[in-house]
Amino acid sequence: MNVIKRDGRIEIFDTKKIKEAILKSFYETDGEVTTYAKNKAAEIARSIAATEAEMLNVEQIQDAVEEKLMASDRKDVARTYVNYRYLHTMARNQYKDLMDTVEEKLMARNVVNQNANVDERSFGGRVGEASSAIFKRYALDHCMSEMARRNHEANEIYIHDLDSYAAGMHNCLSIPFDDLLANGFNTRQTDVRPAGSVNTAFQLVAVLFQIQSLMQFGGVSATHLDWTMVPYVRKSFWKHYRDGLKYVCLWGPESIEREITLGEGVSVTDIPISDRDAYAVDDAYTYAMDMTKKEIHQAVEGMYHNLNTLQSRSGNQLPFSSINYGTCTLLEGRMITKALLEVSIEGLGRLHKTSIFPCGIFQVMKGVNKEPGTPNYDLYRLALKSTARRLYPNYANVDWSGNAGYDVNDPRTYFSTMGCRTANGYDINGLGQLKDGRGNICPVTIILPTLAMEAVEIAKAAGFKATNDDTTDPITEFMKLLNKKIHEAKDMLLERFEWICSQSPESAKFMWENHTMVGYVPEEGIRSAMKHGTIVIGQLGLAETLQILVGCDHTEERGMKLAKRIEQLFKDRCAEFKNEYQLNFGVYFTPAENLCYTAMQKFKAKYGEIPNVSDREFFTNSIHVPVWKELTPFKKIDIESQLTGYSSAGCITYVELDATVKHNIEALETIVNYAMDHDIPYFAVNVPNDTCLDCGYCDEINEVCPMCGGTHIQRLRRVTGYLTGDYTTAFNKGKQQETEMRVKHTKATVTPDELPADR
């Protein structure tokens, strides 16, 4: 007799395999293999072999074994065999599903654009996506508790970047550029000397961004790039001054040495270039200043080009890089900020395209740049001009109440952020408000609408009716369930934190060898540094949750009242966890790029389409006002500013303006100031950014370029806090629909006299 295998192959029937399967069931049941078991296994194998059929498939043979065991006096063994058969079938199906997914990703047959910065059709993207599918399965099956896996698969608590979970990587980092540029650093192949000029320093910034991004799965940031570059501007200026003396003034070498002799222990980086008395020869000073400005501009251009071309991850992915700047009032720092903004405005390449990376973040600070007459107000105005044309920079509020206690004399403690929105709060383990060398270690996100629907079902099962106050109600059940899930989210984060801390320093040798993560003590292991980072509990779909529970969102008073109650619970629990575990738990308003779509698909599959809840392809991100709401920019700020203070680990507020704002910088300034005055920590402005790829014209373009008639149009939009390529091809379906539904927040051109009275 022959046997048809599951893959279609035909083999000769082997009684030995039948006996082994039956004996495993006896052993599983009895803990031993008796003579009776051996005889029964042999009997069943012989009876199947004696069948008159010339050909049986595997399922038919297993059915026969099952029937004969059930007919015997050992029905308990039969049940074990049935369970064994079921588990193996399930394992085979899981393996098949996994391999089907791998094949689908390798062949790019189902491109979903989970990350708008990854080209899933490229060789790298296909390999990366296929590998990701395997690592995600491994993480769910082997790296976490049953509770954590259940929450993730039930669409209740989402575990971000499961593939990186499996590898034990952390999320993001603010790189300590001050130390690395001053001291140099080691790479796998060589060592890099300290930067000797501003041009070299900017090249190394791009290198460091790229290398560090390979040590983690999230973004990389510079927290105060204008201050960081001051000593290298001075080094370059000094070199140009020497050249000026030699070539412009035609001085001899001996005269040069007499002219520029420094005092004992004095370095060129100690002498501000604004101190003209230190550079006594005017012609040489003028020459050095001109050459330094040119070098800075070229260096900034080089960094921008590098960060938009150095693809360092699978799928042609660029490092998610962010640069914070704008508070340095020294001449050197002002020159850096000016060049950063000018290059942003100019754009990149032949067509002067808007730069995708780095995400520029202008740090607004009272007494420094916010008001007319302050030292850097002109740079603030230049930043607004860049925003109106290029969407960057965004705006970080140095005076935000959540960053209280920062050191005004130490820009490393100023409020800064990653472009997406991640921020480092107060470190409970001794570093206070220091930002450099710290980052987000790992996040989870609670899918609020799922909990809301579960709460409604619990209340209904308990007999809830709107007119009956004696029964449980959905809001009470929701708050109880949310409290439970916040505690489970904490446990899930602790599981992952321990897994990350168990990794060998060899896994990220560059990071640990160069101390890019602050606080690392080799004898204590990587936990010594990880404990300074943040571990965060995020959220998705507040607006839809309020619709489920109270029938409106937080643009109405009833919705806002419940929203504050929800956010207070998040804040209180994270504060408790922070003290109890001595780890930096924080509330995170998640930048859900792929999750806003995938969570909605799972929600729809379970609950169907519910008006104002699941009748779209996406959930509203975190605590945002829904994108389709008709509001003025001031009203949107008024609403969201009531909630941003509950977040300690990152949030963003943005408004949608039309392209005409580039002609009304005063209006834009009014809006940004209004956000800063209302204690918004991180603010961004969305303006249409369409580029004709035939002639380079950049503005809001309909179907045809008004300059050349071309139809090859790139439509650049913000996906979370970052920009990415053409949203019509780079975004997932949910984000595409969300982008198309974004309503312009009208009355963007109001004058200060028209502002709300409570300003």
Side-chain angles (χ1 to χ4, degrees):
M1 182 178 66
N2 291 326
V3 178
I4 304 173
K5 306 290 286 184
R6 288 186 175 86
D7 60 5
R9 289 180 293 116
I10 297 177
E11 292 183 356
I12 297 174
F13 179 75
D14 185 354
T15 58
K16 181 180 178 182
K17 292 182 179 179
I18 299 298
K19 292 177 186 177
E20 288 177 351
I22 295 171
L23 290 175
K24 283 181 180 178
S25 297
F26 271 100
Y27 183 81
E28 184 71 23
T29 305
D30 300 335
E32 61 178 341
V33 176
T34 64
T35 301
Y36 171 84
K38 293 177 181 178
N39 291 337
K40 178 58 69 174
E43 174 192 326
I44 293 173
R46 284 195 302 271
S47 67
I48 295 174
T51 185
E52 295 180 358
E54 294 183 2
M55 191 88 68
L56 291 175
N57 62 41
V58 172
E59 294 297 329
Q60 289 173 319
I61 293 172
Q62 290 184 341
D63 287 344
V65 172
E66 192 175 313
E67 289 173 5
K68 293 182 184 301
L69 283 172
M70 288 297 292
S72 72
D73 57 353
R74 292 302 306 271
K75 290 183 173 57
D76 54 343
V77 176
R79 285 191 291 271
T80 301
Y81 180 82
V82 170
N83 187 51
Y84 167 84
R85 182 181 178 187
Y86 168 75
L87 291 175
H88 275 254
T89 299
M90 185 171 65
R92 282 194 303 272
N93 290 340
Q94 286 182 339
Y95 179 78
K96 183 179 184 304
D97 289 344
L98 178 59
M99 289 301 101
D100 287 346
T101 300
V102 168
E103 181 179 340
E104 186 178 74
K105 295 300 183 182
L106 280 175
M107 298 297 106
R109 285 201 290 260
N110 182 25
V111 173
V112 295
N113 294 323
Q114 296 184 71
N115 185 325
N117 192 28
V118 173
D119 179 3
E120 293 182 20
R121 292 181 175 84
S122 68
F123 284 129
R126 286 153 55 186
V127 170
E129 289 295 300
S131 300
S132 177
I134 296 171
F135 292 158
K136 286 178 179 179
R137 190 72 255 164
Y138 179 86
L140 287 168
D141 291 345
H142 301 288
C143 297
M144 64 188 67
S145 64
E146 174 62 28
M147 176 273 294
R149 180 170 61 252
R150 185 177 63 251
N151 272 317
H152 182 83
E153 294 179 338
N155 205 35
E156 293 177 342
I157 307 176
Y158 181 80
I159 304 170
H160 291 267
D161 299 277
L162 276 172
D163 47 355
S164 298
Y165 190 143
M169 300 173 82
H170 81 282
N171 184 8
C172 61
L173 188 70
S174 293
I175 300 174
F177 282 107
D178 295 5
D179 297 335
L180 293 166
L181 296 179
N183 302 323
F185 53 90
N186 297 321
T187 68
R188 182 180 178 187
Q189 291 81 9
T190 188
D191 63 282
V192 177
R193 296 188 301 271
S197 68
V198 70
N199 185 49
T200 301
F202 269 107
Q203 289 182 43
L204 294 182
V205 165
V207 169
L208 288 163
F209 270 146
Q210 185 181 33
I211 300 177
Q212 179 59 40
S213 72
L214 298 173
M215 307 293 112
Q216 55 186 60
F217 62 84
V220 281
S221 174
T223 67
H224 54 286
L225 193 58
D226 47 348
W227 289 95
T228 297
M229 288 295 165
V230 167
Y232 308 103
V233 174
R234 291 176 179 174
K235 286 185 177 184
S236 287
F237 183 86
W238 175 257
K239 292 178 181 178
H240 293 310
Y241 183 74
R242 287 173 62 94
D243 288 342
L245 290 174
K246 184 175 181 180
Y247 299 114
V248 177
C249 303
L250 302 179
W251 285 25
E254 293 182 2
S255 300
I256 293 174
E257 294 303 324
R258 286 199 303 269
E259 181 62 30
I260 58 178
T261 297
L262 301 175
E264 185 176 350
V266 178
S267 167
V268 293
T269 59
D270 297 325
I271 305 175
I273 64 175
S274 57
D275 184 4
R276 294 196 65 143
D277 291 340
Y279 304 95
V281 181
D282 288 344
D283 287 346
Y285 182 90
T286 301
Y287 171 81
M289 185 62 74
D290 289 343
M291 294 302 294
T292 302
K293 289 178 181 178
K294 290 178 182 177
E295 183 181 346
I296 291 172
H297 194 89
Q298 290 173 349
V300 170
E301 281 186 324
M303 181 192 70
Y304 270 76
H305 279 91
N306 282 333
L307 293 177
N308 283 278
T309 56
L310 292 173
Q311 299 168 347
S312 60
R313 289 175 176 167
S314 62
N316 303 323
Q317 189 177 13
L318 297 167
F320 282 84
S321 55
S322 306
I323 53 174
N324 295 259
Y325 54 83
T327 61
C328 184
T329 58
L330 299 173
L331 176 58
E332 297 88 344
R334 282 175 46 79
M335 292 166 70
I336 293 295
T337 296
K338 186 170 185 288
L340 289 169
L341 292 169
E342 287 176 343
V343 172
S344 173
I345 292 169
E346 291 166 8
L348 301 180
R350 177 177 57 85
L351 295 177
H352 300 279
K353 290 183 180 180
T354 296
S355 175
I356 303 298
F357 291 110
C359 173
I361 304 162
F362 190 88
Q363 294 166 293
V364 180
M365 188 175 186
K366 293 177 182 177
V368 172
N369 53 35
K370 186 169 178 284
E371 306 86 5
T374 51
N376 284 0
Y377 178 68
D378 59 327
L379 298 176
Y380 180 30
R381 292 282 295 185
L382 188 61
L384 294 166
K385 179 181 178 183
S386 178
T387 299
R389 181 169 174 79
R390 301 295 187 183
L391 287 93
Y392 288 156
N394 303 336
Y395 296 88
N397 190 350
V398 176
D399 302 298
W400 177 48
S401 60
N403 200 50
Y406 76 88
D407 184 353
V408 70
N409 296 312
D410 187 355
R412 298 176 304 162
T413 67
Y414 293 0
F415 180 70
S416 62
T417 183
M418 305 283 176
C420 63
R421 70 197 61 189
T422 304
N424 290 310
Y426 187 86
D427 175 34
I428 198 169
N429 289 308
L431 298 180
Q433 294 291 14
L434 181 75
K435 313 302 181 191
D436 282 18
R438 299 175 58 209
N440 174 253
I441 306 304
C442 52
V444 296
T445 292
I446 296 178
I447 315 299
L448 296 176
T450 300
L451 305 190
M453 290 302 296
E454 292 173 0
V456 169
E457 291 177 344
I458 292 170
K460 285 182 177 179
F464 171 75
K465 295 180 180 178
T467 56
N468 186 352
D469 295 331
D470 295 330
T471 58
T472 185
D473 66 277
I475 294 176
T476 300
E477 292 302 323
F478 173 79
M479 295 305 293
K480 286 162 50 178
L481 186 56
L482 178 59
N483 186 55
K484 176 175 181 287
K485 292 302 174 181
I486 291 175
H487 277 84
E488 290 182 3
K490 173 260 297 180
D491 292 337
M492 291 164 68
L493 287 171
L494 290 174
E495 285 180 11
R496 188 170 187 175
F497 182 79
E498 292 300 327
W499 176 244
I500 291 171
C501 289
S502 72
Q503 304 304 310
S504 166
E506 296 297 314
S507 302
K509 191 171 183 180
F510 171 83
M511 183 164 69
W512 301 120
E513 187 175 82
N514 295 290
H515 295 268
T516 60
M517 188 173 282
V518 71
Y520 175 55
V521 180
E523 295 76 21
E524 299 177 13
I526 67 175
R527 179 188 294 271
S528 59
M530 289 290 173
K531 69 181 181 182
H532 299 296
T534 59
I535 49 179
V536 300
I537 302 176
Q539 57 186 269
L540 178 69
L542 176 66
E544 290 81 5
T545 299
L546 299 174
Q547 286 284 356
I548 294 168
L549 297 175
V550 297
C552 67
D553 58 39
H554 47 310
T555 59
E556 298 182 31
E557 185 176 350
R558 189 158 44 107
M560 179 59 79
K561 182 178 179 181
L562 179 56
K564 290 181 177 178
R565 186 177 167 191
I566 291 169
E567 299 311 323
Q568 188 65 51
L569 182 62
F570 273 97
K571 184 176 181 179
D572 289 346
R573 292 296 170 267
C574 282
E576 292 168 9
F577 301 155
K578 188 171 184 175
N579 287 321
E580 180 179 355
Y581 296 95
Q582 292 296 292
L583 292 172
N584 295 308
F585 280 91
V587 181
Y588 189 43
F589 291 166
T590 307
E593 178 185 341
N594 185 52
L595 182 59
C596 75
Y597 173 66
T598 56
M600 176 61 87
Q601 301 316 301
K602 290 183 179 180
F603 185 93
K604 281 185 177 183
K606 186 172 183 179
Y607 299 110
E609 288 200 2
I610 303 171
N612 294 318
V613 175
S614 56
D615 51 357
R616 299 175 178 85
E617 296 297 324
F618 61 94
F619 278 128
T620 298
N621 209 335
S622 60
I623 57 91
H624 288 315
V625 170
V627 297
W628 57 87
K629 289 285 185 176
E630 300 271 0
L631 300 170
T632 69
F634 305 111
K635 183 62 175 176
K636 188 172 193 292
I637 292 168
D638 286 340
I639 294 168
E640 294 192 4
S641 65
Q642 296 180 59
L643 301 176
T644 52
Y646 291 99
S647 172
S648 58
C651 62
I652 190 172
T653 290
Y654 66 85
V655 296
E656 297 280 341
L657 305 180
D658 58 42
T660 60
V661 74
K662 70 180 63 173
H663 306 300
N664 194 345
I665 300 303
E666 287 71 22
L668 181 56
E669 180 180 0
T670 297
I671 293 169
V672 177
N673 283 346
Y674 191 80
M676 300 296 103
D677 291 344
H678 281 69
D679 207 32
I680 294 286
Y682 186 40
F683 185 69
V685 175
N686 288 346
V687 293
N689 191 285
D690 301 334
T691 300
C692 174
L693 300 181
D694 295 318
C695 72
Y697 176 75
C698 181
D699 207 323
E700 187 167 13
I701 304 174
N702 294 321
E703 298 301 320
V704 177
C705 173
M707 294 296 289
C708 72
T711 57
H712 192 196
I713 311 299
Q714 179 190 58
R715 304 187 187 280
L716 186 66
R717 300 293 185 270
R718 191 184 306 276
V719 63
T720 53
Y722 287 109
L723 305 184
T724 191
D726 193 319
Y727 85 91
T728 62
T729 56
F731 288 13
N732 62 55
K733 290 180 180 179
K735 274 297 176 186
Q736 284 187 32
Q737 187 188 64
E738 186 243 89
T739 301
E740 290 163 357
M741 292 184 68
R742 292 175 185 175
V743 172
K744 298 285 193 302
H745 299 122
T746 55
K747 297 185 180 178
T749 56
V750 297
T751 66
D753 293 337
E754 296 175 288
L755 284 173
D758 66 342
R759 183 173 186 257

